[in-house]
Amino acid sequence: MGKTKTKNQKKGREAARRVAEETFSTVPHTFVFQRGQIGRNVGQLVLDMRRVMEPFTARSLKVRKKNVLKDFVAVAGPLGITHFSIFTKTENSINMRLARLPKGPTLYFHVAKYALIKDVISSLKRHRMHEQQFSHHPLLVLNNFGTEGMHIKLMATMFQNMFPSINVHKLNLNSIKRCVLLNYDPVSQEVEFRHYSLKVVPVGMSRGVKKLMQEKFPNMSKLEDISELLMKGVNLSESEAEQDGDHNITELPQVYSGRGNMASQQSAVRLTEIGPRMTLQLVKIVEGMGEGKVLYHSFVSKTEEELQEILKRKEARLKEKEERKRKQEQNIALKKEKRDQNKKRSLEGIKRKRPQEGQVSDDEVEDPGIPEDQAPAEESEDEAEYYRQAVGEEPDQDMFPSAKRKRGPGKSPIPFKKRKLSPGKGPPHNKKSFKSPDRGSKDGRKRFGDRKPLEGRNRFRKSEGGKKFGQKGGKGSRFAGQKKRDAGKKFGGQKSFKGRAVMKRQKGAGGKKDLKHKKEKN
C-alpha cells in the first residue's frame, strides 16, 4: 500500500503548480503553420519546427483551407500567442515569415536550403533524441549578429524574443537539454539554423573509469583483475578515445544529470545534431502585421525623395479615409433625427383626431379581462327579450346561448319529443307517406305491397318447366312464367319501379307518336 501524501507535500505541489502557471503565462508562445498549398516535404518541415519550439507552441494545430490570417490573430490574444511563424511556397521558392503580435514587425525570409529531422538522423551513426528533451525550451545561441545595420539588430531581437529568456543566477542546468544555434554570415548575408541535443560528460579520467561509469558495463571476461581495465584499457576501441579540448570543457557550477557530473569539476559539453536544418536569407522587413511601411528590402533600394513621396501618399489615403468615416457618421445622425421628427408628427396627428383633448376613446382602452378570483358574469335575458320585441320572432339558439328560450303559457318546460305519425295522416309538409293507401294510385301503378307472394319453393325446380341460365325464351321460364312482352315485370308480374320524371318523359313521347300516326291516316 502506498504512502499517503503529507500536508507539506500537498502545499509544496500546489505552490509549484501556481509558479508554473505564472511562468507559463509570461514566456513567449509561437504558432507555426502554413498558408496555401505547400506540399508534403514543406508540411513535414512545419511539423519539425513545431518540435523545435516545444513546449511553448501548439503541437497539434489544425489549419483549414478557409482559415485566413485574421482567424489566427483573433485567437492569439486569449491564448497568449506572441509570434507567428508562417511557411508558404511558390513555384520558385519557399518562404518563411516571422511576425510579432499584435502590431508587428514582420520579417520575410527566403528558405534557400533545408533538411528534415529524419534526414539528419539518417546521416548520423548514433543519434541522441528522446521525449524528455522536449519538456523544456531550447537554449538560444546567436553568433555574428553584432555587425552594423539596423536590419541585423532587428533580426537578432526578433529571434531572441521568440524564446524564453534565462536568468543565469537562478537557472537549473538540468532543464537545458537542447540548443538552437543561429549563425549570421556577413559575406553571403545568410542565417544558418541548427538544432542540437546537449550532453555533458566528465573529463580528466582514464577510458576504463569512464567505461565503468557508463550505463552499459564493459565485458571483463578475459581480464584477470579489474586493475587491467583501469590501467591498460584493454578491449576498448580507438573510437572511444577522448576527443575533447579546451573549446568544450568547463567547470560545472551545479550537479548535472549523468554519472560523474559533479559540481566544481571539469566536464565536457557535447552537441549532437537532431535537425531540422535551414539556410535563411532576409528579404524585407515590414513595419506592421503583414502590411505597412517597408523598413528594409534586400533587393529594392529607394532614395529619400521616393520615401517621402510614399509617406505623402499614405497620409493622403488616411485623411480620405477619415473624411469618409466622418461623413458616414453625419449621415447616420441625420437619418436618426429625421426618423424621430416623423414619429413626433405622427403622434401629434393622432392626438388631433381625437374628439376631446386628453380623452381616450373606448377602442383604445385595453380590456383588463376577467380577474382570476371572479367568476364570469351570466348573460342577461334582456337582449333576447329586446330581440323578440323588435323583430317579432324567436332568436336562434346560437345568438344568445345563455338566455333561456321563452315558452308560451301553459306549456311544459320539458323539451319537445318527436311524435309518431298516425297511419291515415300525412307528414307536416302535406306529402303522402309510403304507408298511405292511395300512394302510387295516381298513374294506376302498383305499389311494393301489392306484389303477389311466391308460392312454394318448387318454382325453381326443373320439373315445373324451369330453364337454365343459358337458355332464352320458351314457355317454361325459370322465373315462374315470366314473358318477354312483360319487360317491366319481374319476380312474378312485378313492375320495375321508375321515377316520376322517367314516367313523364315516356308519357310525352307516347303522345307525340299517336299524334303523328293520326296525321298520316288523315
Side-chain angles (χ1 to χ4, degrees):
M1 187 173 179
K3 296 182 180 180
T4 58
K5 296 179 181 178
T6 61
K7 192 173 183 180
N8 293 333
Q9 287 178 337
K10 293 180 180 179
K11 287 183 178 180
R13 293 189 178 185
E14 185 66 22
R17 186 183 63 80
R18 288 198 301 268
V19 171
E21 289 180 356
E22 294 175 358
T23 306
F24 190 83
S25 61
T26 55
V27 298
H29 294 72
T30 306
F31 267 173
V32 183
F33 57 96
Q34 75 278 0
R35 304 300 300 142
Q37 299 293 333
I38 57 174
R40 184 175 60 182
N41 292 332
V42 182
Q44 187 62 40
L45 178 62
V46 172
L47 299 179
D48 293 347
M49 282 300 297
R50 289 181 185 177
R51 294 284 286 174
V52 174
M53 305 305 296
E54 284 187 10
F56 303 118
T57 187
R59 184 176 182 179
S60 301
L61 179 64
K62 301 297 182 183
V63 182
R64 297 181 180 178
K65 291 182 180 179
K66 62 181 181 180
N67 290 132
V68 295
L69 191 59
K70 289 184 179 180
D71 298 337
F72 297 98
V73 176
V75 300
L79 296 178
I81 304 301
T82 58
H83 292 80
F84 281 170
S85 180
I86 309 170
F87 285 85
T88 58
K89 183 180 179 181
T90 62
E91 295 180 357
N92 302 323
S93 63
I94 300 171
N95 303 317
M96 183 183 71
R97 284 180 286 172
L98 296 180
R100 179 72 166 88
L101 296 177
K103 296 182 179 181
T106 304
L107 278 67
Y108 290 76
F109 291 94
H110 165 62
V111 181
K113 302 175 184 178
Y114 73 93
L116 304 177
I117 290 179
K118 60 181 182 179
D119 300 330
V120 175
I121 291 177
S122 62
S123 63
L124 298 176
K125 185 177 180 180
R126 295 179 182 178
H127 70 276
R128 191 173 180 276
M129 185 174 65
H130 50 82
E131 288 296 328
Q132 295 180 356
Q133 294 175 342
F134 298 95
S135 60
H136 301 280
H137 65 88
L139 178 67
L140 178 64
V141 179
L142 299 177
N143 186 37
N144 285 339
F145 280 89
T147 57
E148 296 181 0
M150 181 269 299
H151 62 285
I152 303 298
K153 294 180 181 179
L154 186 57
M155 185 168 47
T157 305
M158 175 67 76
F159 285 127
Q160 286 177 351
N161 293 333
M162 289 181 65
F163 297 90
S165 60
I166 59 175
N167 189 349
V168 179
H169 302 287
K170 297 181 180 181
L171 178 65
N172 184 10
L173 294 180
N174 290 318
S175 63
I176 306 299
K177 300 293 184 180
R178 293 180 295 135
C179 174
V180 172
L181 175 63
L182 291 171
N183 179 49
Y184 177 72
D185 188 1
V187 178
S188 62
Q189 296 183 352
E190 294 178 347
V191 179
E192 297 290 340
F193 179 92
R194 297 290 185 271
H195 186 210
Y196 295 97
S197 172
L198 192 142
K199 180 182 180 182
V200 178
V201 294
V203 296
M205 56 185 67
S206 62
R207 289 177 292 172
V209 176
K210 289 181 182 179
K211 198 66 176 179
L212 288 174
M213 299 179 67
Q214 291 179 358
E215 297 178 358
K216 294 183 179 180
F217 202 77
N219 185 11
M220 297 187 295
S221 59
K222 297 181 180 180
L223 301 180
E224 296 181 358
D225 190 59
I226 193 173
S227 60
E228 296 182 7
L229 177 65
L230 299 178
M231 299 300 295
K232 299 179 182 179
V234 183
N235 295 332
L236 295 179
S237 62
E238 294 295 333
S239 62
E240 297 178 1
E242 199 172 293
Q243 297 179 358
D244 301 322
D246 296 337
H247 61 281
N248 65 337
I249 295 177
T250 182
E251 184 178 340
L252 295 177
Q254 301 176 10
V255 177
Y256 193 80
S257 60
R259 296 180 181 180
N261 297 320
M262 306 301 294
S264 302
Q265 290 192 4
Q266 298 289 329
S267 296
V269 179
R270 296 178 181 176
L271 301 178
T272 305
E273 188 175 3
I274 58 178
R277 297 179 187 175
M278 284 192 298
T279 302
L280 307 175
Q281 185 178 6
L282 181 64
V283 177
K284 66 176 180 178
I285 301 175
V286 179
E287 185 178 13
M289 179 64 188
E291 58 182 6
K293 181 182 177 182
V294 178
L295 301 179
Y296 170 79
H297 204 293
S298 60
F299 302 113
V300 180
S301 60
K302 295 183 179 181
T303 61
E304 189 67 25
E305 296 177 356
E306 293 176 346
L307 294 176
Q308 293 296 330
E309 185 66 24
I310 292 173
L311 290 176
K312 288 181 181 180
R313 288 200 300 265
K314 185 177 180 180
E315 290 177 359
R317 286 196 301 269
L318 292 176
K319 287 181 180 180
E320 186 179 354
K321 185 177 180 181
E322 291 293 334
E323 184 67 20
R324 287 197 305 268
K325 187 176 181 181
R326 186 179 60 81
K327 286 183 179 180
Q328 289 175 358
E329 291 176 354
Q330 290 179 358
N331 294 336
I332 292 172
L334 289 174
K335 289 180 181 179
K336 185 178 180 182
E337 185 179 355
K338 192 174 181 179
R339 188 166 55 249
D340 294 341
Q341 290 177 0
N342 293 337
K343 185 178 180 181
K344 187 177 180 181
R345 283 199 297 268
S346 300
L347 293 175
E348 291 176 356
I350 292 172
K351 289 180 181 179
R352 285 196 300 268
K353 288 182 180 180
R354 292 176 182 174
Q356 295 180 0
E357 188 67 26
Q359 182 180 358
V360 182
S361 62
D362 296 336
D363 297 337
E364 297 177 353
V365 178
E366 185 179 357
D367 187 8
I370 302 174
E372 296 180 358
D373 56 349
Q374 181 179 354
E378 297 182 358
E379 190 175 0
S380 176
E381 297 182 1
D382 295 341
E383 297 180 358
E385 186 66 27
Y386 176 77
Y387 182 85
R388 294 189 191 98
Q389 295 178 4
V391 181
E393 296 179 0
E394 286 291 332
D396 296 338
Q397 294 182 2
D398 298 338
M399 188 176 296
F400 305 105
S402 61
K404 296 180 180 179
R405 187 179 182 88
K406 188 175 181 180
R407 302 182 183 276
K411 291 186 179 182
S412 173
I414 301 174
F416 294 105
K417 291 184 179 180
K418 189 174 182 180
R419 294 180 296 176
K420 296 182 179 180
L421 299 176
S422 59
K425 294 182 180 180
H429 43 72
N430 296 327
K431 288 186 179 180
K432 294 180 180 182
S433 64
F434 286 101
K435 294 183 180 180
S436 60
D438 55 345
R439 179 173 176 82
S441 62
K442 183 176 180 180
D443 300 328
R445 291 173 296 181
K446 292 183 179 182
R447 299 184 296 109
F448 287 106
D450 297 339
R451 290 189 305 181
K452 291 182 179 181
L454 301 177
E455 298 177 358
R457 299 164 59 186
N458 296 328
R459 67 186 187 90
F460 289 108
R461 293 183 179 179
K462 192 173 183 181
S463 61
E464 297 290 332
K467 294 181 70 176
K468 294 183 179 180
F469 285 101
Q471 297 176 358
K472 297 182 180 179
K475 185 177 180 180
S477 178
R478 182 185 177 187
F479 293 101
Q482 185 178 359
K483 297 180 180 180
K484 285 185 178 181
R485 64 179 177 268
D486 299 333
K489 294 182 180 181
K490 292 181 181 180
F491 299 103
Q494 180 187 359
K495 279 186 175 182
S496 62
F497 180 76
K498 298 180 180 179
R500 289 182 180 179
V502 178
M503 296 295 294
K504 286 181 179 181
R505 285 197 299 269
Q506 290 179 358
K507 188 176 181 180
K512 291 179 181 179
K513 199 179 231 183
D514 295 339
L515 183 61
K516 187 176 181 181
H517 185 62
K518 287 178 182 180
K519 285 181 179 181
E520 289 176 357
K521 284 183 178 182
N522 295 332

